[in-house]
Amino acid sequence: GAGVSQSPSNKVTEKGKDVELRCDPISGHTALYWYRQSLGQGLEFLIYFQGNSAPDKSGLPSDRFSAERTGGSVSTLTIQRTQQEDSAVYLCASTGGGMNTEAFFGQGTRLTVV
Amino acid sequence: RKEVEQDPGPFNVPEGATVAFNCTYSNSASQSFFWYRQDCRKEPKLLMSVYSSGNEDGRFTAQLNRASQYISLLIRDSKLSDSATYLCVVSTSGTYKYIFGTGTRLKVLA
């Protein structure tokens, strides 16, 4: 596709359920990033991938959060046993991987845990 | 200390005013710097990269001060359409990890 695609755009889930968020980066982009943004807050770094490997997972808030990337393309962010504090917009971005390259964002997945 | 810090604002300025934002970063190994713009309930989009020598794009000027570890964004002749949140972004050499500041809200008033 022409841009970064995320699905679903909105997700309402019950506390305790697992959710899976998907990101389809721009074709050929080697680096992929996941961020979380709570209402009125800045972007909180979660994890990034270079190819299929994740050099930095330091931003994942707890072991309930995991992410994977396959084929150097699509990535999924999984949140197990969701809590109300997980409610936020989850943004994915991709870049060509070099320095000084623009990060293109998807429109995000708005997650609401009730 | 946060890796990237910004004054959250809001900065309320009249149309035509000049406004400047600063952003400080803590890692002296930081290599790449950007300003992004985020409109309400939208995804961030690149406004401009920040180069060592400083750079200008129309009404927008970005500067880097490595000695004091901050970057700045100057907006001249503010327009109503400039109202948004401005995010500074820093990346450290060799990691490609993009760290975002919390953003500075700008409101340009008629």
Side-chain angles (χ1 to χ4, degrees):
Chain A
V4 178
S5 177
Q6 290 188 246
S7 61
S9 54
N10 280 285
K11 176 73 177 178
V12 180
T13 190
E14 291 181 352
K15 179 180 170 181
K17 300 279 191 183
D18 297 352
V19 294
E20 194 171 275
L21 312 180
R22 176 188 167 106
C23 173
D24 203 338
I26 291 173
S27 178
H29 276 193
T30 55
L32 184 150
Y33 304 79
W34 283 100
Y35 295 91
R36 178 168 74 172
Q37 188 171 36
S38 300
L39 189 63
Q41 303 297 310
L43 273 70
E44 176 189 4
F45 170 82
L46 298 179
I47 186 171
Y48 90 99
F49 291 90
Q50 189 67 24
N52 290 334
S53 64
D56 191 332
K57 303 179 184 180
S58 62
L60 294 176
S62 74
D63 59 8
R64 296 186 295 106
F65 287 72
S66 62
E68 64 174 15
R69 189 180 186 195
T70 54
S73 182
V74 172
S75 176
T76 54
L77 176 69
T78 302
I79 309 174
Q80 295 178 310
R81 306 180 301 282
T82 51
Q83 304 294 313
Q84 287 186 328
E85 62 263 28
D86 299 334
S87 297
V89 176
Y90 289 80
L91 288 159
C92 173
S94 70
T95 77
M99 298 302 290
N100 275 326
T101 58
E102 179 178 356
F104 292 86
F105 282 82
Q107 293 192 325
T109 293
R110 184 174 300 277
L111 175 66
T112 304
V113 182
V114 297
Chain B
R1 184 185 171 187
K2 287 184 180 178
E3 290 186 73
V4 179
E5 294 200 65
Q6 295 182 252
D7 181 341
F11 284 59
N12 296 324
V13 302
E15 269 188 292
T18 295
V19 61
F21 313 132
N22 280 346
C23 166
T24 59
Y25 60 94
S26 60
N27 190 339
S28 59
S30 297
Q31 189 78 9
S32 301
F33 309 89
F34 310 88
W35 284 102
Y36 275 69
R37 170 188 170 136
Q38 186 174 27
D39 293 297
C40 189
R41 290 182 171 264
K42 298 285 189 181
E43 72 277 19
K45 292 185 178 178
L46 179 68
L47 177 66
M48 59 198 302
S49 301
V50 185
Y51 302 123
S52 297
S53 55
N55 48 300
E56 187 173 308
D57 183 1
R59 298 182 293 109
F60 298 84
T61 300
Q63 298 275 355
L64 167 63
N65 185 318
R66 286 194 182 274
S68 301
Q69 293 185 202
Y70 74 86
I71 64 173
S72 64
L73 177 68
L74 180 79
I75 306 175
R76 290 182 298 278
D77 188 23
S78 300
K79 311 291 185 191
L80 293 175
S81 57
D82 293 335
S83 297
T85 296
Y86 291 83
L87 301 158
C88 94
V89 186
V90 174
S91 178
T92 303
S93 176
T95 71
Y96 305 114
K97 178 179 173 180
Y98 284 43
I99 301 297
F100 282 74
T102 53
T104 298
R105 283 181 60 204
L106 171 66
K107 292 183 180 180
V108 180
L109 307 171

